[in-house]
Coordinates of all heavy atoms in Angstrom, one line a residue:
N208 N 0.9 16.8 -17.5 CA -0.3 16.1 -18.0 C -0.1 14.6 -17.8 O -0.3 13.8 -18.8 CB -0.5 16.5 -19.4 CG -1.9 16.0 -19.9 OD1 -2.8 15.8 -19.1 ND2 -2.1 15.8 -21.2
P209 N 0.1 14.1 -16.6 CA 0.3 12.7 -16.3 C -1.0 11.9 -16.4 O -2.1 12.5 -16.3 CB 0.9 12.7 -14.9 CG 0.2 13.8 -14.3 CD 0.1 14.9 -15.3
K210 N -0.9 10.6 -16.6 CA -2.0 9.7 -16.6 C -2.3 9.1 -15.3 O -3.5 8.8 -14.9 CB -1.8 8.6 -17.7 CG -1.8 9.1 -19.1 CD -1.6 8.0 -20.1 CE -1.7 8.6 -21.5 NZ -1.5 7.5 -22.5
L211 N -1.3 8.9 -14.4 CA -1.4 8.4 -13.1 C -2.1 7.0 -13.0 O -2.6 6.7 -12.0 CB -2.2 9.4 -12.2 CG -1.7 10.8 -12.1 CD1 -2.5 11.7 -11.2 CD2 -0.2 10.8 -11.7
N212 N -2.1 6.3 -14.1 CA -2.7 5.0 -14.1 C -1.7 3.9 -14.1 O -0.5 4.1 -14.3 CB -3.7 4.8 -15.2 CG -3.0 5.1 -16.6 OD1 -1.8 5.4 -16.7 ND2 -3.8 5.1 -17.6
C213 N -2.1 2.7 -14.0 CA -1.2 1.5 -14.1 C -1.3 1.0 -15.5 O -2.4 0.6 -16.0 CB -1.6 0.4 -13.1 SG -0.6 -1.1 -13.3
R214 N -0.1 1.0 -16.2 CA -0.2 0.6 -17.6 C 0.5 -0.7 -17.8 O 0.9 -1.0 -19.0 CB 0.5 1.7 -18.5 CG -0.3 3.0 -18.4 CD 0.2 4.1 -19.4 NE 1.5 4.6 -19.0 CZ 1.7 5.6 -18.1 NH1 0.7 6.1 -17.5 NH2 2.9 6.0 -17.9
L215 N 0.7 -1.5 -16.8 CA 1.2 -2.9 -16.9 C 0.1 -3.7 -17.6 O -1.1 -3.6 -17.2 CB 1.6 -3.5 -15.6 CG 2.8 -2.8 -14.9 CD1 3.0 -3.4 -13.5 CD2 4.0 -3.0 -15.8
Q216 N 0.4 -4.6 -18.5 CA -0.6 -5.3 -19.3 C -1.5 -6.2 -18.3 O -1.0 -6.9 -17.5 CB 0.1 -6.3 -20.3 CG -0.8 -7.0 -21.2 CD -0.1 -7.7 -22.3 OE1 1.1 -7.8 -22.3 NE2 -0.8 -8.4 -23.2
G217 N -2.7 -6.0 -18.5 CA -3.7 -6.7 -17.7 C -4.0 -6.2 -16.3 O -4.9 -6.7 -15.6
L218 N -3.4 -5.1 -16.0 CA -3.5 -4.5 -14.6 C -4.1 -3.1 -14.6 O -4.1 -2.5 -13.5 CB -2.2 -4.6 -13.9 CG -1.5 -5.9 -13.7 CD1 -0.2 -5.8 -13.0 CD2 -2.4 -6.9 -12.9
S219 N -4.6 -2.6 -15.7 CA -5.1 -1.3 -15.7 C -6.3 -1.1 -14.8 O -6.5 0.0 -14.3 CB -5.5 -0.9 -17.2 OG -6.5 -1.8 -17.6
S220 N -7.1 -2.1 -14.5 CA -8.2 -2.0 -13.7 C -7.8 -1.8 -12.2 O -8.7 -1.4 -11.4 CB -9.1 -3.3 -13.8 OG -8.4 -4.4 -13.4
F221 N -6.5 -1.9 -11.9 CA -6.0 -1.7 -10.6 C -5.4 -0.3 -10.4 O -4.6 -0.1 -9.5 CB -5.0 -2.8 -10.2 CG -5.7 -4.2 -10.1 CD1 -5.4 -5.1 -11.1 CD2 -6.5 -4.5 -9.0 CE1 -6.0 -6.4 -11.1 CE2 -7.1 -5.8 -9.0 CZ -6.8 -6.7 -10.0
S222 N -5.6 0.5 -11.3 CA -5.1 1.9 -11.3 C -5.6 2.6 -10.0 O -6.7 2.4 -9.6 CB -5.5 2.7 -12.5 OG -4.9 2.2 -13.7
P223 N -4.7 3.4 -9.3 CA -5.1 4.0 -8.1 C -6.1 5.1 -8.2 O -6.2 5.7 -9.3 CB -3.7 4.5 -7.6 CG -2.9 4.8 -8.8 CD -3.3 3.7 -9.7
K224 N -6.8 5.4 -7.1 CA -7.7 6.6 -7.1 C -6.8 7.8 -7.1 O -5.8 7.9 -6.4 CB -8.5 6.5 -5.8 CG -9.6 7.6 -5.7 CD -10.5 7.4 -4.5 CE -11.4 6.1 -4.7 NZ -12.4 6.0 -3.6
R225 N -7.2 8.9 -7.8 CA -6.4 10.0 -8.1 C -6.8 11.2 -7.2 O -8.0 11.6 -7.2 CB -6.4 10.4 -9.5 CG -6.2 9.2 -10.4 CD -6.4 9.4 -11.9 NE -7.7 10.0 -12.3 CZ -8.1 10.0 -13.5 NH1 -7.4 9.4 -14.5 NH2 -9.3 10.5 -13.8
F226 N -5.8 11.7 -6.4 CA -6.1 12.9 -5.6 C -5.2 14.0 -6.0 O -4.0 13.8 -6.3 CB -5.8 12.6 -4.1 CG -6.8 11.6 -3.5 CD1 -6.5 10.3 -3.4 CD2 -7.9 12.1 -2.9 CE1 -7.4 9.4 -2.9 CE2 -8.8 11.2 -2.3 CZ -8.6 9.9 -2.3
I227 N -5.8 15.2 -6.2 CA -5.0 16.4 -6.6 C -5.1 17.5 -5.6 O -6.3 17.8 -5.2 CB -5.4 16.9 -8.0 CG1 -5.2 15.8 -9.1 CG2 -4.7 18.1 -8.4 CD1 -6.4 15.0 -9.5
I228 N -4.0 18.1 -5.2 CA -4.0 19.3 -4.4 C -4.0 20.5 -5.3 O -3.1 20.7 -6.1 CB -2.8 19.4 -3.4 CG1 -2.9 18.2 -2.4 CG2 -2.8 20.7 -2.7 CD1 -1.7 18.1 -1.5
D229 N -5.1 21.3 -5.3 CA -5.3 22.4 -6.2 C -6.0 23.6 -5.5 O -7.2 23.7 -5.6 CB -6.1 21.9 -7.4 CG -6.2 22.9 -8.5 OD1 -5.6 24.0 -8.4 OD2 -6.9 22.6 -9.5
R230 N -5.2 24.4 -4.8 CA -5.8 25.4 -4.0 C -6.8 26.3 -4.6 O -7.9 26.6 -4.1 CB -4.6 26.2 -3.4 CG -5.1 27.3 -2.3 CD -3.9 27.8 -1.5 NE -2.9 28.4 -2.4 CZ -2.9 29.7 -2.7 NH1 -3.8 30.5 -2.3 NH2 -1.9 30.2 -3.5
K231 N -6.5 26.8 -5.9 CA -7.4 27.7 -6.5 C -8.1 27.1 -7.7 O -8.6 27.9 -8.6 CB -6.6 29.0 -7.0 CG -6.1 29.8 -5.8 CD -5.3 31.1 -6.3 CE -4.9 31.9 -5.2 NZ -4.2 33.2 -5.7
L232 N -8.1 25.8 -7.8 CA -8.7 25.1 -9.0 C -8.2 25.6 -10.3 O -8.9 26.1 -11.2 CB -10.3 25.3 -8.9 CG -11.0 24.6 -7.8 CD1 -12.5 24.8 -7.9 CD2 -10.6 23.1 -7.7
S233 N -6.9 25.5 -10.4 CA -6.2 25.9 -11.6 C -6.0 24.8 -12.6 O -5.3 24.9 -13.6 CB -4.8 26.5 -11.3 OG -4.0 25.6 -10.6
I234 N -6.5 23.6 -12.3 CA -6.3 22.4 -13.1 C -6.8 22.7 -14.6 O -7.8 23.3 -14.8 CB -7.1 21.2 -12.5 CG1 -6.8 19.9 -13.3 CG2 -8.6 21.5 -12.4 CD1 -7.4 18.7 -12.6
N235 N -6.1 22.1 -15.5 CA -6.4 22.3 -16.9 C -7.6 21.4 -17.3 O -7.5 20.2 -17.1 CB -5.2 21.9 -17.8 CG -5.4 22.1 -19.3 OD1 -6.5 22.4 -19.7 ND2 -4.3 22.0 -20.0
N236 N -8.6 22.0 -17.8 CA -9.8 21.2 -18.1 C -9.6 20.2 -19.2 O -10.3 19.2 -19.3 CB -11.0 22.1 -18.5 CG -11.6 22.8 -17.4 OD1 -11.2 22.6 -16.2 ND2 -12.7 23.6 -17.6
N237 N -8.6 20.4 -20.0 CA -8.3 19.5 -21.1 C -7.3 18.4 -20.8 O -6.8 17.7 -21.7 CB -7.8 20.3 -22.4 CG -8.9 21.2 -22.9 OD1 -10.1 20.9 -22.9 ND2 -8.5 22.5 -23.2
S238 N -6.9 18.3 -19.5 CA -5.9 17.4 -19.1 C -6.4 16.0 -19.2 O -7.7 15.7 -19.2 CB -5.4 17.7 -17.7 OG -6.5 17.5 -16.8
F239 N -5.5 15.0 -19.2 CA -5.9 13.6 -19.3 C -6.8 13.2 -18.0 O -7.8 12.5 -18.1 CB -4.7 12.7 -19.3 CG -5.0 11.2 -19.3 CD1 -5.3 10.5 -20.5 CD2 -5.1 10.5 -18.1 CE1 -5.7 9.2 -20.5 CE2 -5.4 9.1 -18.1 CZ -5.7 8.5 -19.3
I240 N -6.4 13.8 -16.9 CA -7.1 13.5 -15.6 C -8.5 13.9 -15.7 O -9.5 13.2 -15.4 CB -6.4 14.1 -14.4 CG1 -5.0 13.6 -14.2 CG2 -7.2 14.0 -13.2 CD1 -4.9 12.1 -14.0
C241 N -8.7 15.2 -16.2 CA -10.1 15.7 -16.3 C -10.9 14.9 -17.4 O -12.1 14.6 -17.1 CB -10.1 17.1 -16.7 SG -9.8 18.3 -15.4
S242 N -10.3 14.5 -18.5 CA -11.0 13.8 -19.5 C -11.4 12.4 -19.2 O -12.3 11.8 -19.8 CB -10.2 13.9 -20.8 OG -9.0 13.1 -20.7

Side-chain angles (χ1 to χ4, degrees):
N208 191 23
K210 294 184 177 180
L211 304 183
N212 56 1
C213 175
R214 296 189 290 279
L215 294 175
Q216 188 173 1
L218 299 179
S219 60
S220 61
F221 296 104
S222 294
K224 187 174 289 189
R225 309 171 309 195
F226 291 92
I227 298 103
I228 295 177
D229 188 3
R230 184 165 58 89
K231 292 184 178 181
L232 293 182
S233 60
I234 185 173
N235 183 352
N236 282 2
N237 297 318
S238 64
F239 178 86
I240 297 300
C241 279
S242 64

